[in-house]
Amino acid sequence: MMSSLTIYEKLRGNSIKSLRREIILCKIDNALEIYGYAKAILARYKFEEEENLSEFCELALCILLNSTTCFSRQNEYVQVGQLCSIILDFQPNNVKVMYRRAMVVIELEKHEWAYWDLYLATEIDPKNQEVIKRLEI
């Protein structure tokens, strides 16, 4: 049986690269299955050394963010919104995630919620043209 650290190292390396390939090739179901497996493993990970904690958090947030891409392509907007909210709990200044959540709540016809995410994103990154353009619409 592999140790938690070995599984963690494997997830950090080639697995993430292959998952990105799955997304690019539009094999969303495959990618979501692997991301789900990765989330289950990470949820049970025990830290033997404190220094691994920040790398673990970075990996977990990367998996969540990539999962939002997959769910977006499947038009599962509620799931995307929930995952974005989780990410923003840990990274409240993540403009990319604010923008992504704004786009899905627009799809859910909750424009007032989108406005606030876009507004906050422009406060953090006032030069982000994509966000500014959407805010003006």
Side-chain angles (χ1 to χ4, degrees):
M1 182 173 183
M2 282 195 278
S3 72
S4 295
L5 187 57
T6 305
I7 293 169
Y8 170 71
E9 292 295 327
K10 186 172 180 152
L11 284 172
R12 260 185 60 218
N14 294 332
S15 297
I16 296 298
K17 289 176 188 168
S18 68
L19 287 170
R20 287 185 181 140
R21 234 178 285 125
E22 293 287 329
I23 293 170
I24 291 168
L25 296 173
C26 294
K27 296 179 181 176
I28 304 300
D29 291 332
N30 292 352
L32 282 171
E33 182 178 342
I34 296 167
Y35 281 133
Y37 180 68
K39 286 186 264 186
I41 290 171
L42 290 176
R44 289 167 179 74
Y45 182 77
K46 301 277 190 242
F47 293 101
E48 294 169 11
E49 296 183 28
E50 210 47 46
E51 64 191 41
N52 294 332
L53 184 58
S54 68
E55 284 186 36
F56 167 84
C57 290
E58 184 179 316
L59 176 62
L61 292 171
C62 177
I63 289 170
L64 290 175
L65 184 59
N66 289 339
S67 296
T68 65
T69 301
C70 294
F71 284 119
S72 288
R73 291 188 180 176
Q74 291 189 321
N75 299 327
E76 293 188 31
Y77 301 123
V78 172
Q79 185 77 7
V80 175
Q82 290 171 343
L83 290 173
C84 286
S85 294
I86 291 168
I87 295 167
L88 288 168
D89 283 344
F90 293 93
Q91 295 178 335
N93 294 332
N94 190 322
V95 172
K96 180 178 183 177
V97 175
M98 286 179 193
Y99 180 80
R100 186 167 290 165
R101 186 170 69 178
M103 296 303 96
V104 299
V105 296
I106 286 171
E107 291 293 331
L108 296 170
E109 298 184 9
K110 299 189 184 293
H111 301 280
E112 65 282 356
W113 292 4
Y115 170 81
W116 288 111
D117 274 338
L118 294 170
Y119 176 78
L120 289 172
T122 58
E123 290 289 308
I124 295 164
D125 185 4
K127 295 181 181 181
N128 187 316
Q129 292 301 310
E130 199 171 358
V131 174
I132 292 168
K133 183 179 177 181
R134 273 306 207 165
L135 191 57
E136 291 173 350
I137 295 177

